[in-house]
Amino acid sequence: MDQEHEEQCRPKEQEEERARQKREAQLRREREEEGEEAEDPHRQKEQRECEERLRLEEQVRAAEEVAEEAAQGAFAEKAARRAEALRAEQDRKRRAAVAAFLKMHGFTGGVSGAKRNLMNSTYPLHRAAKTANAQMVGYLLMEGPDPMQANSAGRNAAQVAQRHDSKCSHAAVLRILSTSNARLVGGA
């Protein structure tokens, strides 16, 4: 009988044990909640401070990114202005050199205007090619005259340079003119 009694009591004991564990768990939760409520204002303050720090750190990072982008943009803008100023200065020097060349050789009609005398006509590009002035040939070509323009003898600037070439004295001029002619024809 004791065995039967034990078997009948076991489920009750198990049930009572589970109920006791539930009560203990409930009590622990209540104690924890009470402790949290007591600590809650302090914990809430810490939470707010932490959130504020994170927000400020994010703002600082965003401001640094904006500053870096602005600095890069300012650097690029400054470099572009410097490059533009350099190009403008080079253009000014080129035009001044061309004007001096035209004046020195008596050309009054600009870079494409002919200089005529009784029997002959020549152009600034032909004169620069004849004198082997490679820099002036390049400058004049930048100003836009036709490198295929023929003088009164029917020669273009490259032919004039070839005619006066002695021991490759006009090689640089011929190279510039051949490059210019290739561009006009649609080559290089």
Side-chain angles (χ1 to χ4, degrees), residues 151-172:
N151 63 9
S152 58
R155 295 185 183 97
N156 64 31
Q159 291 167 333
V160 169
Q162 185 69 43
R163 187 164 191 255
H164 289 88
D165 187 34
S166 172
K167 297 182 183 177
C168 295
S169 61
H170 290 64

Side-chain angles (χ1 to χ4, degrees), residues 3-159:
Q3 200 172 12
E4 275 180 40
H5 185 303
E6 280 183 33
E7 288 178 12
Q8 289 175 349
C9 289
R10 264 190 214 145
K12 280 186 177 182
E13 288 173 0
Q14 290 172 348
E15 200 174 300
E16 288 173 2
E17 179 64 24
R18 274 183 280 200
R20 186 184 61 76
Q21 288 174 354
K22 281 184 180 179
R23 281 193 306 272
E24 286 177 4
Q26 180 67 26
L27 284 172
R28 275 195 305 267
R29 278 195 302 272
E30 288 175 6
R31 284 186 203 134
E32 287 174 5
E33 288 175 6
E34 287 175 10
E36 286 178 9
E37 288 174 5
E39 294 177 15
D40 193 47
H42 180 66
R43 187 173 283 166
Q44 287 177 352
K45 182 179 177 185
E46 285 179 357
Q47 182 70 23
R48 284 192 305 269
E49 288 173 354
C50 183
E51 289 172 356
E52 181 67 16
R53 268 194 312 271
L54 291 173
R55 189 179 61 75
L56 289 173
E57 287 173 3
E58 179 63 26
Q59 287 177 344
V60 167
R61 188 189 59 74
E64 287 172 349
E65 286 178 4
V66 168
E68 185 178 334
E69 289 173 6
Q72 288 174 352
F75 178 76
E77 187 177 309
K78 188 175 181 180
R81 282 195 308 266
R82 214 173 330 165
E84 182 59 34
L86 182 60
R87 276 192 297 275
E89 180 64 18
Q90 289 172 341
D91 285 350
R92 186 191 65 73
K93 286 181 179 179
R94 183 185 78 239
R95 288 192 175 125
V98 168
F101 176 84
L102 294 175
K103 184 175 182 179
M104 184 171 72
H105 293 280
F107 291 99
T108 57
V111 295
S112 297
K115 177 181 171 186
R116 292 180 171 80
N117 60 23
L118 289 174
M119 301 291 283
N120 300 321
S121 65
T122 191
Y123 295 89
L125 189 57
H126 292 77
R127 181 64 53 91
K130 180 179 179 180
T131 59
N133 189 340
Q135 184 178 28
M136 188 53 60
V137 168
Y139 284 173
L140 288 167
L141 287 171
M142 292 172 116
E143 294 292 322
D146 180 8
M148 300 307 289
Q149 172 72 50
N151 63 9
S152 58
R155 295 185 183 97
N156 64 31
Q159 291 167 333

